[in-house]
Amino acid sequence: MSEVTLLIPMLTGMSWESFVTIRNMRGPIGETLITPMVPLSEARNVLVRRFLRDTTASHAMMLAGDMVYPPDALENLLQTAAAHPEAGVVAGIYYSRHYPYRAQIFEKLGIPFIGHPNDKPFRVHSSGLDCALFRREVFERMSSSAGRWFRFTEKLSEDIAFADSLPM
């Protein structure tokens, strides 16, 4: 089974609820990399550079310190990635850490996304990346200027801009 490195950019620290759900996540977790509190796009870039330089894991899973996750999130993402080898990124639904635990979803149409009410993967153009599994090759093949895969733009957040930069 593929080993996965967890990437957790820190913006405001980690909530207790997030810590517990990440700790209880099932699957082949190798290392966990965390950044200090820096802007989100820079934190994501630091984590990807460390993932490529310091690990041999086949996949990276991006999470957030202020969201909560089902315990089978990683297992489901790996299963979806195996069923869709053409997809370099698969994303799953993640939830706000505050009751009533609202799902964080974008409804745009390219990245398989799990957790839809019918529990079948479906393609989207982009999604938030706080519950996303990346094949190592995605970062290795993407051209990144000075190790920057994630950038905020005037009109797009770093996760939507990342999806726009993926080779189709």
Side-chain angles (χ1 to χ4, degrees):
M1 184 172 262
S2 306
E3 183 177 270
V4 177
T5 297
L6 301 182
L7 308 179
I8 308 173
M10 290 298 191
L11 298 176
T12 58
M14 182 174 287
S15 74
W16 175 250
E17 299 90 343
S18 298
F19 173 79
V20 169
T21 62
I22 292 169
R23 172 93 167 70
N24 291 331
M25 198 171 288
R26 297 188 304 261
I29 298 170
E31 295 186 52
T32 299
L33 304 177
I34 298 173
T35 62
M37 293 181 228
V38 296
L40 184 56
S41 57
E42 182 54 30
R44 290 188 195 277
N45 289 319
V46 166
L47 289 168
V48 171
R49 284 193 297 271
R50 289 176 57 199
F51 166 68
L52 293 174
R53 182 190 67 217
D54 300 340
T55 78
T56 59
S58 59
H59 293 79
M61 183 176 187
M62 194 80 65
L63 299 166
D66 62 350
M67 297 291 163
V68 295
Y69 305 92
D72 60 353
L74 176 55
E75 292 170 327
N76 288 338
L77 290 172
L78 284 168
Q79 184 179 26
T80 301
H84 297 276
E86 75 285 0
V89 182
V90 292
I93 292 178
Y94 50 97
Y95 301 87
S96 163
R97 68 183 172 100
H98 300 291
Y99 184 80
Y101 311 114
R102 291 192 174 102
Q104 309 295 301
I105 302 173
F106 291 99
E107 291 188 12
K108 294 187 178 183
L109 294 176
I111 298 173
F113 191 95
I114 65 167
H116 188 264
N118 67 12
D119 287 329
K120 301 286 186 230
F122 61 96
R123 295 187 71 75
V124 297
H125 172 267
S126 59
S127 79
L129 297 177
D130 289 336
C131 184
L133 182 72
F134 301 81
R135 293 182 196 278
R136 181 181 201 89
E137 301 83 46
V138 167
F139 297 123
E140 292 173 335
R141 286 193 303 234
M142 285 180 72
S143 62
S144 81
S145 74
R148 292 188 65 208
W149 296 265
F150 300 94
R151 294 177 183 84
F152 278 102
T153 70
E154 284 185 26
K155 297 182 180 183
L156 299 174
S157 65
E158 91 293 340
D159 41 13
I160 307 301
F162 174 81
D164 282 349
S165 70
L166 285 172
M168 292 299 201

